[in-house]
Amino acid sequence: MRTALITGASRGIGRAVALSLAASGFGLTVSSRRDEDLVELAAELRAAGAPRVAHRASDLTDLDSLPPLAEAHERAFGAMSVLVLNAGMAAKGAVDTFPLRRFERTLTVNLTSQFVLTAAALPLLRRGAAADPEHGARVVAVSSLTGRYAEPGLAAYAASKAALTSFVETLNLDEAASGVTASAILPGYVDTDMTAGLEGVAAETMIRVGDVVTVVDMLVRLSRHASITAIPVSRSLSGGYRA
Ligand SMILES: NC(=O)c1ccc[n+]([C@@H]2O[C@H](COP(=O)([O-])OP(=O)(O)OC[C@H]3O[C@@H](n4cnc5c(N)ncnc54)[C@H](OP(=O)(O)O)[C@@H]3O)[C@@H](O)[C@H]2O)c1
C-alpha cells in the first residue's frame, strides 16, 4: 500500500488532495489544527477508498508538534510514499508597517515548519522509496507563484514561499540517490477560503482546487526516474507571469 501524510487537510487544497489520494487507494495520515475536523475527515476518506486513515492535530507554529506527526504516520504505516507539505498561511501588508512578529510567524508556518516536518519524515520516505523501486517516494510542497513573480503587498508571504521552493529544489538534489524526489507546485490565486474576499481578482477567474489536485496526482504517478522541481500554475487571465 502506498501512503501519504498531508498537512492542511481540513479544508481547501489539502482536503481535495486527501480525497483524491484516498480514491487512489493511499493509506493516509491527515493533519490540521483541530482534532474534531480530522475525525470527520478520516471517516470521509475511508468512505472515499483509503484503506487506513490516521490523524493527528498539529499547529505549524508549534515546531515540537511536528516530529510526533511523522511518528504517528510511522506507527500507522511504517514507511511513507508521499509527503504533501500543503498547510500554510496568507499574510498581506506593506513592508514598513508589517509587524515583525507577524513576519516571523509567516516564516515559521510557511518555511521553518516545513523544514522540520520534512527532516522528521525523511527516514520514513527513504524507507518508502526502498519498498517501491518504481515510484520511489516524493515530497510535494504547495508553494506559490508569488514567490517567483512579485505580487503587490505580499513581501512576507512571497519571501516565505520563495524560500520553500528553494528548499524543495535542494532537497530534490540531495535525496534523489535515495529514491526521494521533491516537487514544489507554484499556484497563482486558487479559489479557497484563503482568497475569499480578495479585492481585484474575481473568484470565477481563479484556479480551481481540482487543478492543483490534478498536478499532485500527476506527480505521485511519476516514476522515481523523473523529477520536476517546480511547477508554476497561473490563472489563464493573468498572462502567465502574475498570480
Ligand atoms: N488559495 C490560493 O490562492 C493559494 C495560492 C498559492 C498557494 N497556496 C497555498 O496552498 C496551501 C493551501 O491553501 P488553501 O488555499 O487550501 O487554504 P485554506 O483553504 O485556507 O486551507 C489552509 C489549510 O492550512 C491549515 N493551516 C493553516 N494554518 C495552519 C497552522 N498554523 N498549523 C496547521 N495547519 C494550518 C488549515 O487548517 P485549519 O483547519 O487548522 O485552519 C487548512 O487546512 C497553502 O500553503 C497556501 O499558501 C494557496
Side-chain angles (χ1 to χ4, degrees), residues 15-234:
R15 177 185 165 81
V17 167
L19 283 164
S20 172
L21 292 180
S24 298
F26 277 71
L28 298 173
T29 301
V30 286
S31 187
S32 62
R33 282 173 289 191
R34 281 175 297 273
D35 209 38
E36 56 272 27
D37 293 345
L38 297 172
V39 170
E40 210 170 293
L41 174 66
E44 284 180 57
L45 293 171
R46 284 186 205 101
R52 196 142 105 234
V53 183
H55 58 86
R56 187 181 171 92
S58 158
D59 189 324
L60 297 184
T61 60
D62 176 9
L63 299 178
D64 290 339
S65 74
L66 299 171
L69 176 56
E71 284 157 24
H73 186 89
E74 182 174 27
R75 270 197 306 282
F77 300 106
M80 189 185 295
S81 319
V82 175
L83 171 62
V84 184
L85 299 169
N86 166 73
M89 63 174 276
K92 189 165 188 168
V95 172
D96 55 353
T97 54
F98 205 90
L100 181 58
R101 279 178 66 100
R102 190 154 170 250
F103 181 75
E104 285 172 344
R105 184 185 168 90
T106 306
L107 286 185
T108 300
V109 170
N110 290 350
L111 178 64
T112 314
S113 66
Q114 318 291 335
F115 187 95
V116 171
L117 179 57
T118 303
L122 263 178
L124 303 183
L125 288 160
R126 291 181 189 132
R127 216 177 290 157
D132 184 353
E134 178 56 22
H135 293 103
R138 195 170 292 263
V139 177
V140 178
V142 184
S143 188
S144 170
L145 198 64
T146 62
R148 180 151 295 185
Y149 305 119
E151 203 60 36
L154 294 182
Y157 177 78
S160 70
K161 292 292 192 177
L164 174 62
T165 302
S166 170
F167 165 58
V168 165
E169 288 172 343
T170 307
L171 180 71
N172 183 66
L173 184 66
D174 285 350
E175 289 297 323
S178 64
V180 181
T181 47
S183 308
I185 303 174
L186 281 53
Y189 292 118
V190 183
D191 185 14
T192 67
D193 291 351
M194 192 175 273
T195 49
L198 183 77
E199 281 171 26
V201 183
E204 58 269 23
T205 71
M206 290 183 190
I207 297 160
R208 302 293 184 242
V209 164
D211 295 322
V212 183
V213 171
T214 299
V215 176
V216 176
D217 283 347
M218 180 272 287
L219 287 170
V220 304
R221 284 191 166 84
L222 291 175
S223 84
R224 66 173 286 180
H225 305 289
S227 96
I228 304 180
T229 49
I231 305 181
V233 184
S234 59

